[in-house]
Amino acid sequence: MTAFPRKPALLLALVVLTDLATGPACAQSTVAEGEKLAFDRGKGNCLTCHVIKGGDLPGTIGPELKDLKARYPDRNDLVAILTDETKRNPQTMMPPFGRNRILTEREINAIVDFLQTL
């Protein structure tokens, strides 16, 4: 009966090791997903208002999206902007993607992962 308590510990160790092994690959896939969403004219639609390196036919209503990791070292600031910028700036033209359920929390986080690479 002493072997039974070890099974959950072994399972936990396997989960942690699997998570460590897939971490960078998972991060790369969320960056790629975020880029796809940001450039998607029907979903994130960031190019309607922003210049983004690699994007076609950008708008100029919003600021150019570059050096965002330096400008927003706390990724939560970018999450908040995408979720509902009207909380910080009621006069903003930025759509409240999270509040209006245009983007899911997972999609917002993927876009932020991508934006932090710019």
Side-chain angles (χ1 to χ4, degrees):
M1 291 228 169
T2 58
F4 182 74
R6 292 183 187 161
K7 288 182 181 178
L10 179 61
L11 181 60
L12 178 62
L14 287 172
V15 168
V16 168
L17 289 173
T18 301
D19 209 29
L20 289 174
T22 60
C26 184
Q28 288 176 339
S29 68
T30 60
V31 168
E33 179 188 356
E35 180 178 18
K36 183 179 175 184
L37 286 164
F39 290 172
D40 184 334
R41 297 288 181 173
K43 193 69 172 168
N45 206 15
C46 301
L47 287 169
T48 295
C49 299
H50 301 279
V51 171
I52 304 173
K53 182 179 178 182
D56 294 329
L57 303 171
T60 57
I61 296 169
E64 181 175 354
L65 299 182
K66 65 178 185 177
D67 302 322
L68 293 180
K69 193 160 188 162
R71 288 175 42 205
Y72 299 99
D74 183 351
R75 76 181 317 278
N76 292 323
D77 290 336
L78 287 173
V79 170
I81 289 168
L82 286 169
T83 301
D84 187 1
E85 175 62 356
T86 64
K87 288 182 178 179
R88 290 184 346 154
N89 177 5
Q91 303 301 318
T92 187
M93 295 184 70
M94 179 81 172
F97 289 101
R99 187 188 77 203
N100 287 350
R101 297 187 178 117
I102 298 166
L103 296 169
T104 66
E105 185 176 335
R106 185 185 60 76
E107 291 170 329
I108 288 171
N109 278 293
I111 291 172
V112 168
D113 289 343
F114 165 63
L115 294 176
Q116 288 191 313
T117 68
L118 301 175

